[in-house]
Amino acid sequence: MGPEAGYDGMGGMRKRGGLLAGLDVGSHKSCVIVGELAGPSLDVVGVGTASCSGLRRGTVINVESTVESIRKAVAEAQSTAGCEIRKVVASLSGKEIAGVTSHGVVPVRGEEVCRSDVARVLDAARAIALPADRTVLHVLPQEFAVDGQDGIKEPVGMAGVRLEARVHIVTSPLTPVQNLVRCCNRAGLSVAEIIFSPLAAASAVLTEEERELGVALVDIGGGTTDILVFHGGAVRHSCVLGLGGGHITNDIAAGLRAPFAEAERIKHRYGAAIAAQISRDAQIEVPSVGKDDARILSRHILCEIIEPRVEEIFTMVSREIIRSGYEDSLASGVVLTGGSALLEGIVDLAEQVLRMPVRVGGPVAVTGLSDIVSSPVYATALGLVAAGSDSRRSGSVSITDGRMVGRIRSRVTAWIREFF
């Protein structure tokens, strides 16, 4: 057996030291991508996907189903990459994940700010009151101030006696973290890091210029819609909505009286977000529940079912952007990603509701199996590989052999020991 995938390379037929494995477990599918950073590009050497019915709105509700899905996706990725995967960087979403802005202040110990001062001020900023059943996933610096001079991005080397930090903290209930780790462990994997899903997707689809000028990332998954607002190169707001592409599929299944799997297929093949753009003469074939014969229906009717739900999602997104306080500061508009971003006409509808420029964000700077992973469907898994290569900057929770270590306080350590 070769070394573990993640930080020490991978074994098997392929021996390359920089390979990482990203695992995105969603409400409808599990996706594993194996790759390595090659300069500014991500070289993808393995891809695996499998359907998943073990999650609801980003939270594990069926361990066995989730474990089986992970195993299938990993097996496919191992086959295409020619290696053995033992360790992964995993994504986490869920409507209970929340973000909050915090502030920390420390005295500078020397004549100028050093990295230990930055570490101390970030620790001070993360010391917020949390319920016993929640933990910190990420501490994302927004800006620093030295002796009252604010707007500083890199304070190291500056002279001063007082260092302040403003950060965005992403927190999660402990139970989803526990269940995700357990599912990975039962699938034969150890978890190197857990990264908030839209943060990973942002690594794959956003440019530095967009982050600086101001942009909202909207990742429409199967069970949730994740939102991140960037401005000045930093995360200013985060939110998870309890609606996603699966709700569109449910509406289609109920409206057309079709099996869920067929409704999902119909959505991808014939669906559109704006019914007025679809001819009333266009027809589709719809299988009936419990019957062998199919019915012929208007495609326009299908899109009339889809449009209200998509409009509802973007109305909720609009409210969150307004709540962030940055609705007038998003010069780069909105970037859509996730499987539902491929829905025909979704950009037009999003621009109507959000009243700002919208584009679909596919992965950028990808080599290797780029023809396979160029879709927004793979954005999170690709971003996990990219973000996992810089774990210290991301502030992610580190996990080894089923135990969280490092940044979680003694309260969380005791909880982990109890359950693991």
Side-chain angles (χ1 to χ4, degrees):
M1 297 291 183
E4 294 177 334
Y7 297 96
D8 302 318
M10 291 186 170
M13 299 185 311
R14 187 186 300 270
K15 294 183 179 180
R16 295 166 66 178
L19 288 178
L20 296 165
L23 169 63
D24 176 25
V25 185
S27 298
H28 287 169
K29 68 173 179 61
S30 296
C31 178
V32 176
I33 285 184
V34 181
E36 65 179 325
L37 287 176
S41 300
L42 179 63
D43 183 24
V44 177
V45 298
V47 182
T49 60
S51 61
C52 182
S53 58
L55 277 77
R56 180 178 298 163
R57 297 183 181 180
T59 301
V60 175
I61 60 171
N62 187 317
V63 172
E64 291 301 327
S65 177
T66 304
V67 170
E68 184 61 24
S69 176
I70 293 172
R71 284 174 175 162
K72 289 180 179 178
V74 167
E76 184 178 342
Q78 289 180 151
S79 177
T80 56
C83 63
E84 182 178 13
I85 299 173
R86 296 180 181 178
K87 184 184 291 185
V88 294
V89 179
S91 66
L92 181 70
S93 185
K95 61 185 182 67
E96 300 300 327
I97 293 178
V100 62
T101 299
S102 182
H103 180 261
V105 183
V106 297
V108 177
R109 288 178 173 171
E111 296 182 354
E112 64 180 37
V113 178
C114 63
R115 297 204 176 276
S116 64
D117 295 317
V118 174
R120 287 190 301 112
V121 78
L122 292 180
D123 280 341
R126 67 176 290 138
I128 59 175
L130 283 178
D133 62 345
R134 294 190 71 88
T135 187
V136 172
L137 280 183
H138 301 280
V139 178
L140 306 169
Q142 294 178 336
E143 62 182 15
F144 297 90
V146 178
D147 292 351
Q149 179 184 348
D150 57 12
I152 299 172
K153 291 186 178 181
E154 179 51 78
V156 174
M158 297 186 66
V161 297
R162 174 187 171 97
L163 177 64
E164 301 174 60
R166 184 179 177 87
V167 302
H168 185 78
I169 299 177
V170 180
T171 70
S172 168
L174 290 168
T175 302
V177 177
Q178 172 200 12
N179 287 331
L180 176 61
V181 173
R182 282 190 169 181
C183 288
C184 290
N185 291 162
R186 291 183 61 174
L189 304 170
S190 63
V191 181
E193 292 182 54
I194 290 179
I195 296 178
F196 186 32
S197 292
L199 198 62
S203 298
V205 304
L206 296 184
T207 66
E208 288 300 322
E209 184 178 23
E210 286 174 328
R211 296 170 190 249
E212 284 290 336
L213 295 176
V215 65
L217 176 79
V218 179
D219 184 357
I220 308 176
T224 61
T225 295
D226 303 332
I227 304 168
L228 284 186
V229 175
F230 290 84
H231 190 266
V235 175
R236 305 293 174 172
H237 182 74
S238 61
C239 174
V240 179
L241 305 177
L243 284 178
H247 295 82
I248 301 172
T249 305
N250 285 332
D251 291 346
I252 296 171
L256 301 185
R257 300 190 302 277
F260 183 88
E262 288 296 331
E264 183 76 7
R265 182 189 65 81
I266 291 170
K267 179 182 72 173
H268 288 298
R269 186 169 182 179
Y270 303 110
I274 300 179
Q277 295 180 350
I278 304 302
S279 170
R280 293 182 179 273
D281 297 329
Q283 295 182 325
I284 61 174
E285 190 176 89
V286 180
S288 299
V289 177
K291 297 181 180 180
D292 294 331
D293 56 327
R295 294 164 292 137
I296 303 299
L297 296 177
S298 167
R299 186 186 176 200
H300 188 271
I301 292 176
L302 167 67
C303 300
E304 285 182 330
I305 295 172
I306 294 173
E307 183 174 348
R309 182 66 81 177
V310 178
E311 186 174 357
E312 179 186 12
I313 291 173
F314 286 125
T315 299
M316 295 175 69
V317 169
S318 178
R319 290 172 184 163
E320 279 300 319
I321 292 175
I322 292 172
R323 194 163 74 89
S324 75
Y326 286 87
E327 69 273 18
D328 296 325
S329 303
L330 304 183
S332 299
V334 173
V335 176
L336 302 179
T337 191
S340 294
L342 297 173
L343 191 64
E344 181 182 335
I346 196 168
V347 169
D348 294 335
L349 182 57
E351 289 182 338
Q352 290 177 19
V353 175
L354 301 176
R355 298 182 180 180
M356 62 180 70
V358 178
R359 75 172 178 89
V360 174
V364 297
V366 176
T367 60
L369 303 177
S370 57
D371 55 330
I372 299 176
V373 301
S374 60
S375 166
V377 172
Y378 297 99
T380 297
L382 284 167
L384 290 170
V385 177
S389 68
D390 197 3
S391 60
R392 291 184 179 179
R393 179 184 61 82
S394 71
S396 301
V397 176
S398 295
I399 299 179
T400 304
D401 295 329
R403 294 193 179 200
M404 284 179 269
V405 296
R407 298 181 182 269
I408 302 181
R409 300 296 183 185
S410 58
R411 168 180 58 82
V412 182
T413 303
W415 176 89
I416 290 296
R417 287 172 179 168
E418 178 183 354
F419 285 93
F420 290 91

